[in-house]
Amino acid sequence: MLSLEFLLMPFLGRGALFRISSLLVLIPAEKAIRHCLARNGLQNLTARLAPDQADRACECTVRACRAGVGKADLMRGFSVALLALFAACPLRAEIVSAEYADPTARYRHGILGDAIEWGTLQLSLRDGKRLRIVLPETRVFEDTAPRLADLNGDSRPEVIVVESSNDAGARLAVYGEEGLIAATPFLGRPNRWLAPIGAADFTSDGKAEIAYVETPHLTGSLRVVELRGDKLVPIAGARGLTNHRIGDREILSGIRNCGRGPEMILTSFPWQRSGVAEMLAVELTWPELQVVAWRFEEDFTPAHVMAALDCGLQPDYLK
């Protein structure tokens, strides 16, 4: 049974004695808390918690309550203890939106149709705070817009961006409310770029992986990476696919799920301004994580891409 001591002691002070004897599921919140604690390796534990463990235990209860367990549920069973714990746990900072700021012409590339890039990433948090991440003068955000996705399974989004260096080209980077979390290596040469596709749970593990096209005008190399700690680890890739032409202001691609799992909408490399480009639905097989592409009858245009992302168009899965 969850004791009052179990529910309150971790939050009377960091490193407090955290004692679990057994867990009795009486209400939805307790079931969610038990599952969350188990995922974080905090079940059947008698130990003095480190600060990060206490934070994780607190987050488990906050997440359970925020996931849909209302006050009426909390008024049953161990209601007093749960309400006390919920009140004792401050909501951790959560990013609700992100945007680029401080336009700059200091990076001479113009791959997105003009000379203007961005020097700052601005994050808005659920509590109303706003954070600014300012790059050094030797780097810019060379991108259309930041993208939010939960990359570590904690039910809070991280921010996916493209950073470019004067000397080393672009890299994919992930930021949180405390700053840089992880990044791929820079591509190694000035004016080498990558174009994000999006993020989705390709591996069915409850966390989103990031898909992007590396050097979409030179090699058309699809990359899929996952966040592991402070690293972005490649898990799949293929060549011959792209989502951008030099000078286009938008990156034409996206990820959909029309009942088969995540599919990326892309075109074949190279994508020329003359002629017709084929539109492809690209998926990863499971568990092999091999890249498979299916061709649409419709060609690769903004209108057709939007219709495909809305599941209004389907490829021929038999060819």
Side-chain angles (χ1 to χ4, degrees):
M1 179 179 293
L2 287 173
S3 67
L4 182 63
E5 179 186 32
F6 160 70
L7 288 168
L8 297 182
M9 281 300 291
F11 313 103
L12 296 177
R14 288 179 179 265
L17 185 65
F18 191 5
R19 185 178 302 123
I20 303 176
S21 56
S22 63
L23 297 172
L24 178 62
V25 179
L26 293 181
I27 61 174
E30 292 181 50
K31 184 175 181 180
I33 293 168
R34 182 178 71 168
H35 177 69
C36 184
L37 290 171
R39 286 186 60 184
N40 282 272
L42 296 173
Q43 78 277 32
N44 300 322
L45 175 69
T46 300
R48 185 170 294 276
L49 288 185
D52 69 310
Q53 291 175 310
D55 279 346
R56 280 184 287 154
C58 184
E59 181 74 4
C60 283
T61 302
V62 171
R63 284 172 54 196
C65 294
R66 289 170 55 192
V69 178
K71 288 187 177 181
D73 294 313
L74 294 177
M75 291 305 293
R76 298 192 297 271
F78 299 107
S79 58
V80 175
L82 282 169
L83 286 171
L85 179 55
F86 185 71
C89 292
L91 291 180
R92 296 178 62 185
E94 180 178 346
I95 298 168
V96 294
S97 66
E99 61 183 353
Y100 295 128
D102 298 337
T104 176
R106 67 187 183 226
Y107 187 69
R108 299 180 181 274
H109 191 199
I111 203 69
L112 289 165
D114 60 32
I116 302 301
E117 310 302 344
W118 307 97
T120 297
L121 174 64
Q122 189 163 275
L123 308 179
S124 297
L125 306 185
R126 186 171 298 280
D127 61 7
K129 293 180 181 178
R130 304 186 80 180
L131 305 177
R132 288 170 53 87
I133 297 169
V134 181
L135 291 180
E137 289 293 316
T138 56
R139 299 208 304 271
V140 296
F141 294 106
E142 191 178 17
D143 197 2
T144 56
R147 297 150 190 85
L148 272 62
D150 178 13
L151 303 176
N152 57 12
D154 68 352
S155 300
R156 298 181 300 148
E158 287 72 44
V159 183
I160 304 163
V161 300
V162 180
E163 287 184 28
S164 291
S165 160
N166 288 344
D167 300 325
R171 70 176 182 178
L172 189 78
V174 175
Y175 281 87
E177 62 273 11
E178 296 181 358
L180 181 67
I181 297 173
T184 63
F186 287 104
L187 294 180
R189 295 182 60 182
N191 295 343
R192 293 292 184 263
W193 186 63
L194 60 88
I197 302 167
D201 186 3
F202 291 100
T203 60
S204 301
D205 64 351
K207 301 179 293 185
E209 292 81 35
I210 310 169
Y212 64 96
V213 179
E214 183 178 296
T215 56
H217 321 113
L218 297 176
T219 64
S221 299
L222 171 66
R223 306 283 188 232
V224 181
V225 297
E226 69 177 10
L227 180 64
R228 297 181 190 170
D230 61 353
K231 306 290 183 184
L232 288 175
V233 179
I235 63 169
R239 301 191 73 166
L241 299 164
T242 191
N243 59 350
H244 189 261
R245 296 176 299 191
I246 293 174
D248 283 359
R249 292 184 177 275
E250 300 298 328
I251 299 169
L252 189 58
S253 60
I255 301 175
R256 71 178 195 170
N257 191 332
C258 302
R260 292 173 55 95
E263 294 177 315
M264 297 166 274
I265 305 301
L266 299 168
T267 191
S268 298
F269 173 86
W271 180 19
Q272 307 291 348
R273 292 196 177 276
S274 60
V276 176
E278 62 180 2
M279 184 165 64
L280 303 171
V282 180
E283 62 184 16
L284 301 186
T285 63
W286 177 257
E288 299 86 0
L289 295 181
Q290 298 297 309
V291 177
V292 179
W294 309 97
R295 184 177 292 106
F296 291 83
E297 290 186 1
E298 296 81 6
D299 56 354
F300 191 69
T301 67
H304 288 158
V305 169
M306 293 302 103
L309 291 173
D310 289 338
C311 302
L313 299 176
Q314 301 299 331
D316 188 342
Y317 290 111
L318 299 179
K319 292 183 179 180

